Each structure stands twice: as structure tokens, then as C-alpha cells.
Amino acid sequence: MARALVMIPAGEVYEHDNVRWYKHSDIQRSIDHYHNIGDAFVFESSLKLMNYDKVAELPIVNPPMEKIDQLREEYDYVILRGSNYINKDMNWRDTIPVLKRLGLPVIAFGVGAQAPVKGQLELSEESKAVWRIIADSTTSVGVRGAYSAQVLNDIGIKNVRIIGCPTAFRRNNQHLRIKLPDLDTVKKVGVTVRREVSPTYAQDIQRYLTLHRELIKQMANRFDITLMAQGEVEEKKMVFGTDEQKEEAIAALKANRWVSDWYFDDAIEKLYRERMYYSDVVADYETLVRSHQLVLGYRLHGNLMALANGVPSIYFTYDSRTAEFAETYKIPSYDVFSDKPFRLEDYWDQSLFDKYNRAWFETYGEMNVFLTENGVDHKMTETGRRATDAARRVA
């Protein structure tokens, strides 16, 4: 089987293809620092699609070049974990000399671009050079959607394939479909929480936060809810902090003007104290979403983990990244900045999820083709590829 290097991993690997955050058993070690456990979702999901004998990190920060020479002899290719790398501020450290010295194929596994609210996305010359090295090393570059493909096309990279995100296919079940139960039977609902947001990418922070608050309260008034956090410090402290740290978190939230004015009222505080969930172990989230009948909200990968396990999800889109995902998979989604109110009943429509089911199946096929054409030993089946080819012929 293959030997794979991973560029920019997110967490430590255990039991071959499972991922948890570094030193996860000592939560106090990282309780004051933000890390997005959703990145670990993508890392683990990528591993679960691959057949490999061993995996190790490719160092890109001041590594001795003798080490890079050694890795060239011991490994077959590099996996670049899918993330939002196509951006104007990306610091690639020593990636260019490392990849030039290494000389191995670099498999970009569902990477994406993010558009600013104003103006065009302008990549640095360093980023352009990195992406050209990656594109020249493989048959195709795997991107999450059409916008990301266009950004690469604009800098002359044409060998691009839209493959979505590995998290969607982590179960590798060709027959996975979303089938809606009667809404009256839904009891347990997960709300994915993303309180922190940048005005660079979200056009109206007041609207973003007030709608987020109302969504949480609306769901709490109707269902047995879990608030699913993914790494913000205050939310993490509400789960794993000491009593003192929990009160510090509450005080910090109230001291933030945007948060206190537009989001964190008494009802939200009570729900934060009683309903917040966080874990540094990816498998814990998979177990969590399987115990719910609906997951919806602001977190891209929290929502996708639900869909990957056959649990209905509705995306709240607020930037180019979330909108691109919803478009790639035809996921039922609500535009946070639209004028219309959110009504769950408007989205509880099997015909909407049938569009998702078809798009998921076709994108599964594209992921299959992508891995195969780039020489990655993988577990995906040929059925998806044949379905994609057939769909193209029909079109």
C-alpha cells in the first residue's frame, strides 16, 4: 500500500485513520487557544478514503533539506489537506523550496478559495508559485467548487477537478441518501455555532449575529437542542473549563460589544451554560450527529458531518465559502443576508434533499476519478464514476 506525507495536518493520527487534536487528554493545555476542530474532520475523512501503509507530516517550516531527501525515498506522494488555502494572506513558509527539493506529486484534496466582501481576490506571487508547483506535479487539482476552480483558472491553472470535501464521503457508502422523517417526529436538533466572524468575508455583522441568536432560540423553543461548537475559546471553556474559567468566558462574551449587543442575551447565556458541546476528538462528533435527527446552522463542517452520516442538514450561508459548498452539493441553504425570515418548514421538503442526493452521488464519482487519475490508492467504488459519466452523457 501507499506511503503518504501530509502537508499541513490538523491533529494527531491514532488507530491508523482516526484523528484527534494534539495532546487532547490535556484540555487545559489548549483551552485558551482557538483551533478549528473542523479541520481535523477533513483530515480524518481524507485518511478514511485512502489505502495506505504509513502516513507522516511533511515539514514546511525551516526543515533540513537532508530530511526532505530522506522523505523522497520513503514516501510516494503528498496529501495537502483540504482547507481555505487559496487566499491573499496565506503564509506558505518554506513550501516552495521544500516541494522543489522533494519532487513528489502533491495531491490537493478539496482545497478552496474565499472571496472578500469587497473587491477581487488577489493572490500573492508566492501563492501563485505554490499552486503552479502543485498543479504541475499532478494530473489534477481537487477543489471544493466552481468559484475555487475559477480563481485557479485565472492564474493559468486549468487541470482542476471539482470534488467537494472528503468529509462528505467519509462513510464511503455509495447508497447513502438523506430521507426526511415527518417533521413532527423530530425531537433532537443540533445547532452548529460560529459566533466569531470576520467583516472581511461577512457583509453585515449585526445581521449575522442577531439571526444566529434568533435561530438558536427558535430551535430551543421547539426542540431538544445541542449547541455544537468547533473551537472558539469561550465556547470551549463552557464545556471543559473550571467554574472560574466558565465565568471568565461569560464575562468575556458580555464585554464584547458586538456579541453583547447582537447575540449574547440572557436566553443564550442559559443555553450556553446548559447545552454547549465541544470535543477534540473527531469520532465524538460523528457519534453526536448520529443521535440527532437534524443539524443546521453556521458551521460548514459540523453540518457536513451530519450529512455524511445520513442526517438532514440546512446550511446558513454568509460568505463565498459556505455558498460554494451549498452550490457544489445542492444543499438546502438559507442566505443569512436575505430579507426573508427563516422557516424550517420551507426547507423540510424531500424534493430539495433529492437534489442534494443526486449532487452528492455525482460528486462522489468525481472524487473517485480524482483519486484514481492522481494515482492515489483508495477505497471508493467505481459505481460513482460510472454514474458521473452517465450523467454527463445524458446532459
Side-chain angles (χ1 to χ4, degrees):
M1 287 191 288
R3 304 161 300 171
L5 290 166
V6 179
M7 188 171 155
I8 320 181
E12 61 186 19
V13 179
Y14 69 102
E15 297 177 0
H16 189 66
D17 62 356
N18 294 289
V19 175
R20 59 196 175 200
W21 203 251
Y22 307 99
K23 300 186 184 299
H24 80 287
S25 59
D26 182 11
I27 195 69
Q28 287 295 326
R29 178 177 175 270
S30 62
I31 202 164
D32 287 311
H33 303 282
Y34 172 77
H35 57 260
N36 182 2
I37 196 64
D39 290 337
F41 292 9
V42 183
F43 183 24
E44 181 179 285
S45 300
S46 302
L47 297 179
K48 288 187 179 300
L49 292 179
M50 297 163 52
N51 291 313
Y52 60 90
D53 183 52
K54 64 177 182 176
V55 64
E57 180 178 358
L58 174 65
I60 59 170
V61 181
N62 196 30
M65 286 302 165
E66 296 79 9
K67 174 67 173 177
I68 301 304
D69 293 338
Q70 179 183 348
L71 293 174
R72 184 194 315 114
E73 301 304 317
E74 295 179 357
Y75 290 86
D76 301 307
Y77 46 73
V78 179
I79 297 296
L80 174 60
R81 173 184 59 82
S83 192
N84 213 43
Y85 301 126
I86 310 174
N87 66 72
K88 66 181 182 65
D89 298 319
M90 184 68 186
N91 182 351
W92 289 99
R93 307 296 179 120
D94 298 309
T95 293
I96 292 174
V98 165
L99 293 186
K100 286 183 175 180
R101 182 75 170 242
L102 186 66
L104 293 178
V106 182
I107 315 300
F109 213 150
V111 297
Q114 187 161 5
V117 170
K118 297 180 180 179
Q120 297 294 315
L121 173 59
E122 297 290 342
L123 298 181
S124 67
E125 292 305 313
E126 177 192 41
S127 279
K128 293 176 184 177
V130 168
W131 288 114
R132 287 165 182 154
I133 291 170
I134 290 172
D136 289 344
S137 75
T138 55
T139 299
S140 59
V141 177
V143 299
R144 67 177 173 226
Y147 173 70
S148 299
Q150 184 60 53
V151 171
L152 291 182
N153 183 77
D154 290 344
I155 62 170
I157 295 175
K158 313 293 185 183
N159 57 325
V160 174
R161 187 177 292 278
I162 296 173
I163 61 171
C165 175
T167 300
F169 310 118
R170 60 181 282 114
R171 305 295 298 170
N172 197 26
N173 177 3
Q174 182 78 193
H175 304 291
L176 183 70
R177 299 291 182 272
I178 299 295
K179 296 181 180 179
L180 296 181
D182 190 314
L183 188 54
D184 291 339
T185 68
V186 173
K187 305 299 181 185
K188 297 191 69 175
V189 171
V191 181
T192 59
V193 174
R194 181 171 181 158
R195 169 183 51 82
E196 294 183 347
V197 65
S198 169
T200 303
Y201 300 111
Q203 60 185 273
D204 184 341
I205 302 300
Q206 180 177 358
R207 169 69 176 171
Y208 175 100
L209 287 173
T210 54
L211 186 72
H212 202 342
R213 179 186 64 200
E214 296 313 308
L215 171 67
I216 293 173
K217 289 159 67 169
Q218 179 184 344
M219 294 299 107
N221 288 334
R222 189 170 179 182
F223 303 105
D224 177 7
I225 72 164
T226 303
L227 299 182
M228 297 169 55
Q230 281 186 209
E232 289 105 328
V233 170
E234 286 73 28
E235 282 77 358
K236 191 160 49 174
K237 286 182 177 180
M238 297 309 299
V239 179
F240 290 120
T242 63
D243 289 345
E244 182 180 1
Q245 287 171 328
K246 289 178 181 178
E247 296 312 313
E248 287 175 356
I250 295 295
L253 291 166
K254 290 180 177 179
N256 182 310
R257 180 69 181 274
W258 286 354
V259 173
S260 62
D261 285 354
W262 302 328
Y263 178 73
F264 199 71
D265 62 14
D266 291 344
I268 297 297
E269 178 180 343
K270 186 174 189 295
L271 291 167
Y272 262 50
R273 290 183 182 277
E274 298 175 356
R275 298 287 179 159
M276 186 62 67
Y277 179 89
Y278 175 76
S279 175
D280 269 339
V281 182
V282 175
D284 290 348
Y285 281 90
E286 189 152 53
T287 299
L288 178 72
V289 298
R290 289 180 188 173
S291 70
H292 289 63
Q293 295 150 298
L294 166 66
V295 173
L296 78 172
Y298 283 57
R299 279 290 182 179
L300 188 155
H301 290 295
N303 295 342
L304 197 56
M305 179 65 84
L307 290 169
N309 282 274
V311 178
S313 184
I314 299 165
Y315 271 54
F316 280 62
T317 61
Y318 50 86
D319 61 7
S320 68
R321 182 181 64 108
T322 50
E324 184 178 34
F325 253 90
E327 173 59 27
T328 297
Y329 290 112
K330 308 301 182 205
I331 301 167
S333 59
Y334 172 78
D335 181 355
V336 168
F337 304 115
S338 68
D339 294 329
K340 70 174 186 175
F342 173 75
R343 290 182 67 256
L344 179 56
E345 284 76 8
D346 293 342
Y347 298 86
W348 207 255
D349 180 341
Q350 186 61 49
S351 68
L352 296 178
F353 283 91
D354 285 342
K355 292 177 182 178
Y356 162 78
N357 290 333
R358 287 191 293 272
W360 181 94
F361 190 66
E362 292 170 4
T363 311
Y364 180 102
E366 289 298 296
M367 179 71 83
N368 183 338
V369 173
F370 167 75
L371 294 174
T372 300
E373 70 189 3
N374 286 295
V376 177
D377 190 355
H378 64 88
K379 302 172 183 175
M380 302 184 82
T381 67
E382 284 295 315
T383 306
R385 181 175 181 175
R386 289 198 297 270
T388 299
D389 292 343
R392 285 173 174 165
R393 287 194 295 273
V394 170

